[in-house]
Amino acid sequence: MRHVFIVNPAAGKTQKAVDLIPRIEAYLAESGGEYEILTTEKPGDATRFARESCAAGTPIRLYAGGGDGTL
């Protein structure tokens, strides 16, 4: 199963979502899982990333990090 992380780098006062990226990469590098980390730049990016990821037709698990707008 492919894991897709959608991260809003502008979320929050301390940008904690961005701080998670190295931890995500380290964990999945150890577990050997297939993953992709996508960072939003403007409104609508998260929705577009989710739709495009689902359109591939293969099993995926989506994760959203950062701000109510991302969810």
Side-chain angles (χ1 to χ4, degrees):
M1 176 176 299
R2 188 168 61 107
H3 301 269
V4 178
F5 295 83
I6 301 171
V7 179
N8 179 353
K13 295 177 184 171
T14 59
Q15 300 180 349
K16 292 289 186 186
V18 173
D19 293 343
L20 288 176
I21 292 175
R23 294 175 67 187
I24 293 166
E25 291 172 332
Y27 176 80
L28 290 171
E30 282 184 23
S31 68
E34 182 184 348
Y35 71 95
E36 184 174 12
I37 299 173
L38 305 169
T39 55
T40 61
E41 295 179 5
K42 60 187 181 297
D45 279 353
T47 302
R48 182 174 51 84
F49 292 155
R51 282 192 181 126
E52 290 172 356
S53 297
C54 291
T58 58
I60 66 167
R61 186 168 289 161
L62 292 174
Y63 305 86
D68 293 344
T70 302
L71 292 177

